[in-house]
Amino acid sequence: MHKRSGPRIGPRYGVARVLSKRGLCSRRQGEALVREGRVKVNGRTVRDPEHPVDPQRDRVEVDGARLEQSARRCLALNKPRGLVTTRVDERGRDTVYACLAGIDEGWLAPVGRLDKASEGLLLFTNDPTWAAAVLDPQRGPDKTYHVRLDAPFDPQWVARLEAGITIEPDQPPWRCRQVRLLREAERSCWVEVVLDEGRNRQIRRLFEALGAGVLRLVRVAIGDLLLGELAKGAWRWLDDDEIRRLVADSPAEPGADR
């Protein structure tokens, strides 16, 4: 005799992760909300950030308001030099959020990072799954940088950077997808560097290994999304077509639960 099957149960996630995936806040902020007793699941207050939730079936409330799926929002910022890519800096340094003051769109997180001395195109979103697809080294879009160096151009750099250079012992070589000369002067040059992966200070450390220092580093494109004429410190919302194109080859639909 076969048992009658009950209602289908979907994937379950920790409640803090669900808050993040719905675009309400970051994962860490969600954990804090839960521990503060501000989150209810099916009418009962929970204090464990890992409390299992089925997003399709369970009712989640924050401060008495039912949690709904936020519309995906994505923006592009022309990050100025001198700002750190974080919401709050423990050393009191100015952050990229100074450029976003006045936006009343809830939680938005940077998609990857640009270090303090770097500038250019930086994306923000309330959709962690879309962000992960943009950053995916296998399927995500390439990132293009214009780099000013304190040395004249050496044509041998191209082959070495594209073949890969060992930066960390016992680790795979770091490489650039493409390198080309833009213009040069007697003691310096500008090069274009295309990366399909993102490592901490990758371009700076690669050129240091070649004996050249980076004077300026600007990210000018992510995939076919160009920095263009966006003023330094200014931002704009991405339209639906731009959002889709950035993850066109992603293996999962942006915003879908994994």
Side-chain angles (χ1 to χ4, degrees):
M1 180 177 181
H2 297 288
K3 293 182 179 180
R4 181 182 298 174
S5 60
R8 184 177 182 273
I9 298 176
R12 302 177 74 83
Y13 306 96
V15 63
R17 182 182 178 191
V18 171
L19 298 182
S20 171
K21 286 174 111 18
R22 290 288 175 88
L24 178 69
C25 57
S26 70
R27 182 79 167 268
R28 183 174 298 178
Q29 291 168 336
E31 292 171 354
L33 289 173
V34 175
R35 293 193 177 102
E36 291 167 6
R38 297 168 60 185
V39 178
K40 290 183 178 181
V41 177
N42 298 325
R44 182 169 65 87
T45 299
V46 297
R47 294 182 181 271
D48 177 9
E50 296 302 320
H51 180 87
V53 168
D54 180 347
Q56 303 303 319
R57 294 170 53 85
D58 293 329
R59 186 179 74 256
V60 180
E61 298 171 85
V62 180
D63 295 333
R66 183 161 184 172
L67 181 67
E68 303 293 347
Q69 178 70 51
S70 298
R72 180 169 53 195
R73 305 303 302 272
C74 308
L75 67 78
L77 167 71
N78 184 350
K79 175 194 175 294
R81 187 171 183 169
L83 301 181
V84 292
T85 307
T86 185
R87 180 173 287 278
V88 179
D89 182 61
E90 67 280 0
R91 294 163 57 184
R93 296 173 294 180
D94 293 333
T95 80
V96 290
Y97 284 91
C99 300
L100 306 183
I103 296 181
D104 187 20
E105 292 291 337
W107 172 75
L108 290 168
V111 181
R113 293 179 180 271
L114 286 173
D115 65 35
K116 182 180 177 182
S118 300
E119 54 194 293
L121 184 58
L122 180 63
L123 302 179
F124 290 76
T125 187
N126 64 350
D127 185 340
T129 305
W130 182 83
V134 172
L135 295 173
D136 187 290
Q138 279 75 46
R139 304 294 296 274
D142 292 341
K143 286 75 176 176
T144 304
Y145 302 80
H146 288 179
V147 186
R148 186 186 177 203
L149 302 167
D150 65 358
F153 182 73
D154 183 344
Q156 295 184 19
W157 289 347
V158 176
R160 293 192 61 188
L161 290 168
E162 293 180 0
I165 297 174
T166 298
I167 300 296
E168 297 179 346
D170 303 321
Q171 295 296 320
W174 294 15
R175 57 176 49 87
C176 301
R177 184 177 181 89
Q178 183 179 345
V179 181
R180 70 182 181 95
L181 174 67
L182 294 174
R183 59 186 181 273
E184 62 181 328
E186 183 178 350
R187 298 182 180 179
S188 66
C189 64
W190 279 90
V191 297
E192 182 176 87
V193 176
V194 180
L195 300 180
D196 56 9
E197 58 182 359
R199 301 176 184 268
N200 185 36
R201 298 174 59 84
Q202 182 171 351
I203 293 175
R204 297 178 189 277
R205 295 178 69 182
L206 282 169
F207 278 106
E208 285 172 5
L210 296 174
V214 172
L215 299 175
R216 191 176 175 195
L217 192 155
V218 185
R219 183 155 63 195
V220 297
I222 299 176
D224 62 2
L225 179 69
L226 304 180
L227 178 63
E229 299 301 319
L230 190 63
K232 196 176 300 295
W235 59 270
R236 68 173 182 84
W237 294 112
L238 301 187
D239 62 36
D240 290 342
D241 185 55
E242 290 172 321
I243 291 170
R244 283 193 297 268
R245 291 205 313 268
L246 281 169
V247 294
D249 295 327
S250 174
E253 175 68 19
D257 288 331
R258 292 186 181 184

